[in-house]
Amino acid sequence: MLSLEILICTIDDGIVRAASVPCAPLEGVSYLISWQQSQPNQPKVPASLLERDDIRIVTLQGRGLSRNRNHALAHAQGDIILISDDDTRYEPEYFSRIVKAFEERAEADIITFQMANPDGEITMPYQTKSYDYARRPRGSYICSCEIACRRTSALPQFDERFGLGSDYLASGEEDVFIHQAHLNGLKIIYIPQVIVRTNTATTGTRFLTWDAVQRSKGAVLCFIHGYRSAWLRCLKIALGLPAGTKRRAIFKEMIKGAQYVRRS
C-alpha cells in the first residue's frame, strides 16, 4: 500500500492552528509540518503535535510560502505527498480517495482534486469529468491544497518569485509549479473528487483589489505562454472586467508582472 504524507506549511503562531489539521492516527498516513519562523519569539509547539509518532516538525527561518513549500518537499518521505496549509481540514475517507486514485492511475505523477468549504460544500466551478493537464479546459484553475504528487526527483521546486511573502508576486505559485512539472514530462491529471475542506477564498480571489495578485496574473501568463502572448491575454482580461473597474490600472499591473518574469 502506498504511504501518504501531508505537508503542512505554517509560519510563526500558525503552529497552533496546525495542531487542528491532523486526523486521528491512520495506518499509512503521516504528517510533516514545515514551520517557518520570521521573528525571535515563537509560541510553544502544542503537546498534541509532539506526542504523536506520525507527525514530524521541521523548521526554517524567514518568510515566503514557496520557500516553505520547497523546505517541506525536501524533507518529505511519503510515497504520495499532499500539499497542505494550517487551515485545512480532512476526513479519513479523503486520504483513502487519494491513495486509491494513485493506485488506479499508475501512469499519473500528479493528481489534482477538488476542495470544499468548511461546511463541505463545493463552491468552485469545477469540471465534472477527469482530464489530462496537457488537454485542460480553458479557464481551469488549480489551488495548492488540491495537489497530490508521487514523490520523485522529477518534481520541480516551487518558484520562489511567486506566492505569499515574496517580494512582488502574491500568488500563482501552484500554477507555475504544475506547468513546470508538465514541462519536466510528468503526467498530470484531474479527478473530480473532494479531498480537503478549507476556506475557498484564496489569495487569487483578491484579483480586483490587490495589485500584487494582478501582477501575479501577468507573471503566470508570461511564464506559461511567453511575453507576447501574455500581453494580449492581459489586455483581453482587462477589457472583460466589469464596468467601473479600474481596467487600465489593472492592465498595467499585469504587464508589470509579465515584465518581471521576463527580466528575472
Side-chain angles (χ1 to χ4, degrees):
M1 179 178 176
L2 296 171
S3 63
L4 174 66
E5 187 170 33
I6 295 84
L7 308 187
I8 304 168
C9 288
T10 191
I11 186 170
D12 297 335
D13 61 0
I15 190 67
V16 178
R17 293 190 300 274
S20 299
V21 177
C23 296
L26 292 167
E27 184 179 359
V29 177
S30 62
Y31 303 84
L32 173 69
I33 300 176
S34 182
W35 184 18
Q36 204 166 32
Q37 300 175 350
S38 68
Q39 52 196 18
N41 298 320
Q42 294 292 329
K44 291 184 178 180
V45 178
S48 60
L49 297 178
L50 295 174
E51 64 191 15
R52 287 180 51 170
D53 295 334
D54 59 341
I55 297 175
R56 293 184 296 133
I57 300 174
V58 292
T59 62
L60 77 160
Q61 303 301 309
R63 299 187 65 85
L65 179 56
S66 288
R67 180 167 174 258
N68 200 358
R69 296 216 190 281
N70 288 335
H71 188 250
L73 288 173
H75 288 81
Q77 297 177 353
D79 298 321
I80 306 299
I81 52 179
L82 177 65
I83 307 299
S84 185
D85 293 302
D86 59 25
D87 60 351
T88 52
R89 298 295 180 268
Y90 299 99
E91 301 293 338
E93 59 263 31
Y94 295 167
F95 300 148
S96 299
R97 289 175 189 171
I98 296 169
V99 172
K100 183 179 179 182
F102 277 96
E103 289 176 340
E104 293 181 346
R105 302 297 295 268
E107 79 282 8
D109 298 296
I110 297 176
I111 302 180
T112 67
F113 296 88
Q114 296 176 340
M115 64 178 178
N117 67 18
D119 295 324
E121 301 169 334
I122 298 176
T123 59
M124 305 291 282
Y126 288 110
Q127 297 291 319
T128 58
K129 296 183 179 180
S130 295
Y131 60 79
D132 189 301
Y133 176 82
R135 296 182 295 277
R136 62 195 180 280
R138 180 174 297 182
S140 58
Y141 175 80
I142 298 170
C143 182
S144 57
C145 64
E146 300 165 356
I147 301 172
C149 316
R150 293 189 196 273
R151 187 168 55 86
T152 167
S153 59
L155 277 178
Q157 289 199 319
F158 281 85
D159 191 323
E160 296 182 11
R161 295 174 297 178
F162 294 80
L164 289 173
S166 66
D167 294 332
Y168 201 60
L169 308 172
S171 62
E173 70 278 5
E174 54 272 278
D175 298 288
V176 171
F177 174 82
I178 289 292
H179 191 69
Q180 186 61 62
H182 170 65
L183 295 179
N184 288 359
L186 297 183
K187 178 75 170 180
I188 306 164
I189 63 173
Y190 158 78
I191 293 179
Q193 293 182 338
V194 172
I195 61 158
V196 62
R197 294 188 185 189
T198 189
N199 179 7
T200 54
T202 62
T203 304
T205 62
R206 299 175 61 185
F207 176 75
L208 294 179
T209 59
W210 192 0
D211 55 2
V213 175
Q214 295 159 11
R215 291 193 295 267
S216 299
K217 184 66 174 179
V220 169
L221 290 173
C222 184
F223 184 90
I224 295 176
H225 302 289
Y227 180 74
R228 184 172 300 178
S229 178
W231 198 98
L232 293 173
R233 291 168 187 267
C234 290
L235 179 62
K236 183 177 180 180
I237 291 171
L239 292 175
L241 292 175
T245 306
K246 296 180 180 179
R247 294 170 176 165
R248 180 174 295 182
I250 292 175
F251 173 71
K252 287 183 177 179
E253 291 299 329
M254 287 191 287
I255 294 303
K256 286 181 184 177
Q259 291 172 337
Y260 175 75
V261 165
R262 184 174 66 164
R263 289 194 304 269
S264 60

